[in-house]
Amino acid sequence: MAAVDGSWRSIHDLLNAIPFGGVRARLLHRLQERVHDPAWALASPAPPGPRLCLLQAAGVQPPARCVRQATLDDIPALQRFCRTLSAILDRDQWLGKGAEHRDSLRDLLTIRWHSFAEEDQPLAVAVDGDAIVGVGMVWAERLIEIFVDPTAEATFLPALLKGITHLAARRGVRRIEARVDRTHRAAFELAGWRGTGSFVTSPLWSKSLS
């Protein structure tokens, strides 16, 4: 019986890792109906998801888990995030990130961060406590760059994608395009983006903001 309970708990943990609410909720409900495990009702609730904080009031401290527009004060943490993520992607090829994804991350670290404070090139950061765990950037008013720590993708990628899209729309961008890494496609699709062309490499995806 203990082995069976352990198996069901493993399945429960896997379902809890699904990042998108509707599918996850239905699967968890069906699973709980089958096993009737009262211990699940006593389990600690998952931490709240990150909040969008794009129009922060002056002097107000943002939530510890949030997606917000970057400031110049974020530059040191942004550089640390880029260096750390670049090392992770170089070391763990199994993560499925292509060479183009890694090259774009290095471009952000060495060149593009210099211009993110410009009004027409906003950058959003995903923040977990004191650390930046993700970044999204509107580039040339149409191209979006998104990089997220692999351990935080399920939690922060949807919110970061939503945040950077809002920032672009606020600046009058009517259509936004991106080269979407294959490991990110589900999040982009659920956010209303549509891919074109072959899915073998990194096809161009786009979303109308009008």
Side-chain angles (χ1 to χ4, degrees):
M1 184 63 181
V4 173
D5 286 344
S7 297
W8 282 116
R9 288 181 186 281
S10 296
I11 295 171
H12 181 265
D13 290 340
L14 287 172
L15 291 178
N16 257 325
I18 296 175
F20 306 113
V23 173
R24 173 183 171 276
R26 287 194 295 273
L27 290 173
L28 281 173
H29 180 70
R30 291 290 300 274
L31 184 63
Q32 289 172 1
E33 284 182 337
R34 287 176 177 269
V35 298
H36 302 291
D37 185 351
W40 287 356
L42 303 176
S44 300
R51 289 172 49 192
L52 288 181
C53 191
L54 303 179
L55 290 172
Q56 182 182 338
V60 176
Q61 187 69 19
R65 291 164 59 86
C66 67
V67 170
R68 58 172 174 77
Q69 186 166 355
T71 69
L72 293 177
D73 291 338
D74 292 317
I75 288 177
L78 173 62
Q79 291 175 313
R80 284 194 299 272
F81 164 75
C82 290
R83 285 193 294 265
T84 300
L85 181 58
S86 182
I88 290 172
L89 297 181
D90 286 341
R91 183 179 68 247
D92 295 328
Q93 302 294 329
W94 60 269
L95 289 172
K97 309 297 184 185
E100 183 177 343
H101 187 84
R102 295 194 296 274
D103 290 345
S104 294
L105 178 64
R106 292 190 182 96
D107 286 347
L108 177 60
L109 173 62
T110 58
I111 301 171
R112 295 183 182 178
W113 67 268
H114 290 279
S115 61
F116 83 80
E118 297 177 10
E119 188 66 19
D120 62 341
Q121 293 179 351
L123 182 144
V125 288
V127 179
D128 193 355
D130 296 329
I132 289 178
V133 296
V135 57
M137 186 175 190
V138 175
W139 185 247
E141 297 187 349
R142 298 191 63 172
L143 179 64
I144 195 169
E145 300 280 11
I146 288 190
F147 306 100
V148 187
D149 184 319
T151 64
E153 280 190 358
T155 302
F156 280 94
L157 179 59
L160 183 59
L161 180 56
K162 185 176 181 180
I164 194 62
T165 303
H166 284 337
L167 286 177
R170 274 179 17 202
R171 283 157 178 77
V173 177
R174 295 191 175 187
R175 188 174 187 82
I176 197 165
E177 295 180 346
R179 291 286 177 182
V180 178
D181 185 271
R182 62 185 177 87
T183 56
H184 288 170
R185 288 175 190 162
F188 274 79
E189 188 171 37
L190 287 173
W193 291 64
R194 292 293 175 265
T196 59
S198 169
F199 284 80
V200 175
T201 55
S202 296
L204 185 68
W205 284 49
S206 64
K207 178 178 175 64
S208 174
L209 305 184
S210 57

